[in-house]
Amino acid sequence: TNNNNNRGQQQRRRQRRQKLSRRDRKKRLDELQQQRRRNRWMKRYGTVEALQQTFGTGPPWGDLTPTQTRSLYHTLLPRSLLALNEMGLVKVEDLAPLAYEARIAAKNYARSRCVWTGRVGVFLFDQYRSLRDKGRLVQPGTSSSMSWEEIWAKYESQIVQEQQEQGKEELDEDELMMQTYMRILEKSCSTNEAVDNLFLKDNDEDDENEDDIDGVDISLASIASQLEQDVRAILLSPSEITKAEKTRKKLERKQMKEREREEKMRRKADRKEEKRKRKWRLR
């Protein structure tokens, strides 16, 4: 009986495959491959446990100062995901959920590496913010981060309000949905400027790319490089990787030309200023 049932199931699957056109089968296969790639990326970067396996763990009392913790958090933000969308390689609706999870994982992982005094301060701040925004304290064992549904509602209403304030026409359902996805993706790659000013110095934007954090076996530059490489290797197909590399080289050439043009304009302005000074001295 079991053999007959198995043969019947196999026959029904073959019949369903035969009903699909070649184009439909290819589309379905592509979707399955994309989902597998997203799952692989989540297992590597989508949770704090995944980041601990990828980049290691610190001692229970922490090994990073608050400033170092903030720099690590900046490095771990999923900006490479935003770049994939900007290059037109992956749809925003596929990237936004990944970026949302990656931001939470980056925040929790960075905090897990912070010294215990810094963690206490963060805990108290989270309690204050939750009480201010939600009217309740964060319960033990629950996350201080907003849920996907809360984030969606926040940015969707924000976009609707912006449309109204600017006197623009109301967005249809699809346009509003895509703009909300895009807002979540962009915000997942940005940080709170007030907190940055509190913990990071003016030159810390450059320091974020330094090779090492003093006294700690962790390299921000290698983390950033690994993130960028893995985003492409895991989330893109071979043809998409080739396209991304061509786009990157094209962008680099464009940036180089812009720098050369700016340098040429600067030298021209310097020569003009020097000429004006010589004329002034001859008077």
Side-chain angles (χ1 to χ4, degrees), residues 81-96:
L81 296 180
L82 182 59
L84 292 184
N85 179 257
E86 292 173 345
M87 288 188 286
L89 295 172
V90 185
K91 297 177 181 178
V92 65
E93 58 266 35
D94 293 329
L95 291 172

mmCIF file of all heavy atoms in Angstrom, residues 81-96:
data_model
loop_
_atom_site.group_PDB
_atom_site.id
_atom_site.type_symbol
_atom_site.label_atom_id
_atom_site.label_comp_id
_atom_site.label_asym_id
_atom_site.label_seq_id
_atom_site.Cartn_x
_atom_site.Cartn_y
_atom_site.Cartn_z
ATOM 1 N N LEU A 81 23.792 45.289 1.312
ATOM 2 C CA LEU A 81 22.478 44.927 0.781
ATOM 3 C C LEU A 81 21.873 46.095 0.026
ATOM 4 O O LEU A 81 21.271 45.927 -1.039
ATOM 5 C CB LEU A 81 21.547 44.499 1.918
ATOM 6 C CG LEU A 81 21.930 43.246 2.697
ATOM 7 C CD1 LEU A 81 20.889 42.963 3.778
ATOM 8 C CD2 LEU A 81 22.072 42.052 1.779
ATOM 9 N N LEU A 82 22.021 47.292 0.571
ATOM 10 C CA LEU A 82 21.524 48.492 -0.103
ATOM 11 C C LEU A 82 22.225 48.675 -1.442
ATOM 12 O O LEU A 82 21.601 49.060 -2.439
ATOM 13 C CB LEU A 82 21.733 49.712 0.788
ATOM 14 C CG LEU A 82 21.235 51.061 0.254
ATOM 15 C CD1 LEU A 82 19.735 51.016 -0.016
ATOM 16 C CD2 LEU A 82 21.567 52.172 1.247
ATOM 17 N N ALA A 83 23.519 48.375 -1.482
ATOM 18 C CA ALA A 83 24.273 48.509 -2.728
ATOM 19 C C ALA A 83 23.749 47.553 -3.800
ATOM 20 O O ALA A 83 23.706 47.907 -4.984
ATOM 21 C CB ALA A 83 25.756 48.239 -2.477
ATOM 22 N N LEU A 84 23.335 46.351 -3.397
ATOM 23 C CA LEU A 84 22.783 45.404 -4.369
ATOM 24 C C LEU A 84 21.533 45.957 -5.029
ATOM 25 O O LEU A 84 21.314 45.776 -6.225
ATOM 26 C CB LEU A 84 22.457 44.070 -3.687
ATOM 27 C CG LEU A 84 23.624 43.216 -3.184
ATOM 28 C CD1 LEU A 84 23.096 41.907 -2.639
ATOM 29 C CD2 LEU A 84 24.655 42.982 -4.270
ATOM 30 N N ASN A 85 20.708 46.627 -4.244
ATOM 31 C CA ASN A 85 19.501 47.227 -4.804
ATOM 32 C C ASN A 85 19.834 48.405 -5.701
ATOM 33 O O ASN A 85 19.217 48.592 -6.761
ATOM 34 C CB ASN A 85 18.567 47.665 -3.681
ATOM 35 C CG ASN A 85 17.302 48.320 -4.190
ATOM 36 O OD1 ASN A 85 17.159 49.532 -4.148
ATOM 37 N ND2 ASN A 85 16.377 47.518 -4.709
ATOM 38 N N GLU A 86 20.808 49.209 -5.304
ATOM 39 C CA GLU A 86 21.200 50.368 -6.104
ATOM 40 C C GLU A 86 21.753 49.942 -7.460
ATOM 41 O O GLU A 86 21.621 50.659 -8.448
ATOM 42 C CB GLU A 86 22.221 51.207 -5.348
ATOM 43 C CG GLU A 86 21.643 51.904 -4.123
ATOM 44 C CD GLU A 86 22.689 52.591 -3.273
ATOM 45 O OE1 GLU A 86 23.899 52.292 -3.479
ATOM 46 O OE2 GLU A 86 22.330 53.421 -2.418
ATOM 47 N N MET A 87 22.370 48.754 -7.503
ATOM 48 C CA MET A 87 22.885 48.230 -8.768
ATOM 49 C C MET A 87 21.814 47.494 -9.565
ATOM 50 O O MET A 87 22.083 47.002 -10.661
ATOM 51 C CB MET A 87 24.074 47.304 -8.505
ATOM 52 C CG MET A 87 25.328 48.027 -8.060
ATOM 53 S SD MET A 87 26.782 46.946 -7.967
ATOM 54 C CE MET A 87 26.413 46.003 -6.484
ATOM 55 N N GLY A 88 20.603 47.377 -9.002
ATOM 56 C CA GLY A 88 19.506 46.723 -9.700
ATOM 57 C C GLY A 88 19.631 45.214 -9.775
ATOM 58 O O GLY A 88 19.073 44.581 -10.670
ATOM 59 N N LEU A 89 20.349 44.610 -8.795
ATOM 60 C CA LEU A 89 20.597 43.176 -8.845
ATOM 61 C C LEU A 89 19.587 42.362 -8.043
ATOM 62 O O LEU A 89 19.319 41.211 -8.368
ATOM 63 C CB LEU A 89 22.015 42.883 -8.329
ATOM 64 C CG LEU A 89 23.150 43.455 -9.183
ATOM 65 C CD1 LEU A 89 24.485 43.267 -8.484
ATOM 66 C CD2 LEU A 89 23.167 42.786 -10.554
ATOM 67 N N VAL A 90 19.074 42.939 -6.951
ATOM 68 C CA VAL A 90 18.114 42.230 -6.106
ATOM 69 C C VAL A 90 16.959 43.176 -5.779
ATOM 70 O O VAL A 90 17.172 44.364 -5.531
ATOM 71 C CB VAL A 90 18.777 41.744 -4.794
ATOM 72 C CG1 VAL A 90 17.786 40.901 -3.979
ATOM 73 C CG2 VAL A 90 20.034 40.932 -5.081
ATOM 74 N N LYS A 91 15.761 42.640 -5.772
ATOM 75 C CA LYS A 91 14.574 43.454 -5.531
ATOM 76 C C LYS A 91 14.534 43.948 -4.090
ATOM 77 O O LYS A 91 14.950 43.246 -3.171
ATOM 78 C CB LYS A 91 13.305 42.648 -5.837
ATOM 79 C CG LYS A 91 13.178 42.228 -7.288
ATOM 80 C CD LYS A 91 11.935 41.369 -7.491
ATOM 81 C CE LYS A 91 11.794 40.907 -8.927
ATOM 82 N NZ LYS A 91 10.606 40.039 -9.114
ATOM 83 N N VAL A 92 13.998 45.140 -3.923
ATOM 84 C CA VAL A 92 13.950 45.749 -2.592
ATOM 85 C C VAL A 92 13.080 44.941 -1.645
ATOM 86 O O VAL A 92 13.371 44.848 -0.441
ATOM 87 C CB VAL A 92 13.458 47.211 -2.690
ATOM 88 C CG1 VAL A 92 12.002 47.266 -3.176
ATOM 89 C CG2 VAL A 92 13.586 47.915 -1.352
ATOM 90 N N GLU A 93 12.020 44.307 -2.159
ATOM 91 C CA GLU A 93 11.142 43.528 -1.291
ATOM 92 C C GLU A 93 11.832 42.262 -0.764
ATOM 93 O O GLU A 93 11.421 41.702 0.254
ATOM 94 C CB GLU A 93 9.838 43.151 -2.006
ATOM 95 C CG GLU A 93 10.013 42.355 -3.280
ATOM 96 C CD GLU A 93 10.034 43.229 -4.514
ATOM 97 O OE1 GLU A 93 10.565 44.354 -4.423
ATOM 98 O OE2 GLU A 93 9.538 42.785 -5.569
ATOM 99 N N ASP A 94 12.882 41.814 -1.461
ATOM 100 C CA ASP A 94 13.661 40.669 -0.974
ATOM 101 C C ASP A 94 14.729 41.113 0.028
ATOM 102 O O ASP A 94 15.077 40.360 0.944
ATOM 103 C CB ASP A 94 14.327 39.942 -2.141
ATOM 104 C CG ASP A 94 13.324 39.269 -3.060
ATOM 105 O OD1 ASP A 94 12.258 38.844 -2.555
ATOM 106 O OD2 ASP A 94 13.582 39.161 -4.268
ATOM 107 N N LEU A 95 15.253 42.319 -0.164
ATOM 108 C CA LEU A 95 16.357 42.796 0.668
ATOM 109 C C LEU A 95 15.906 43.411 1.983
ATOM 110 O O LEU A 95 16.608 43.299 2.997
ATOM 111 C CB LEU A 95 17.183 43.827 -0.109
ATOM 112 C CG LEU A 95 17.993 43.284 -1.287
ATOM 113 C CD1 LEU A 95 18.603 44.434 -2.078
ATOM 114 C CD2 LEU A 95 19.074 42.337 -0.806
ATOM 115 N N ALA A 96 14.751 44.085 1.994
ATOM 116 C CA ALA A 96 14.313 44.800 3.200
ATOM 117 C C ALA A 96 14.180 43.875 4.423
ATOM 118 O O ALA A 96 14.680 44.219 5.493
ATOM 119 C CB ALA A 96 12.994 45.532 2.929
#
